[in-house]
C-alpha cells in the first residue's frame, strides 16, 4: 500500500477555471464602446 498521492496533471489543471478567449474580450469591449456612443457618454466629435 503506497501513500504517495499522484501529482496533478498540468495539462488539465487549467480547464476547470473560467478562461476567456481574446476574441470574446474584444467583442465585449466593442459592444461596451458602442453602448457608450449610443448613450451619448462619448461625444460625437471623438467618434470617427
Amino acid at each position: 500500500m503506497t501513500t504517495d498521492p499522484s501529482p496533478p496533471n498540468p495539462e488539465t489543471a487549467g480547464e476547470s477555471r473560467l478562461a476567456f478567449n481574446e476574441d470574446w474580450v474584444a467583442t465585449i469591449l466593442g459592444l461596451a464602446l458602442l453602448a457608450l456612443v449610443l448613450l451619448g457618454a462619448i461625444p460625437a466629435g471623438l467618434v470617427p
Side-chain angles (χ1 to χ4, degrees):
M1 182 154 96
T2 62
T3 58
D4 284 340
S6 61
N9 188 355
E11 293 178 8
T12 59
E15 292 181 12
S16 63
R17 65 181 179 161
L18 180 65
F20 283 110
N21 189 345
E22 295 163 355
D23 294 334
W24 282 111
V25 173
T27 301
I28 293 170
L29 182 61
L31 289 173
L33 287 172
L34 178 63
L36 288 174
V37 168
L38 292 176
L39 291 173
I42 297 177
L46 292 179
V47 180

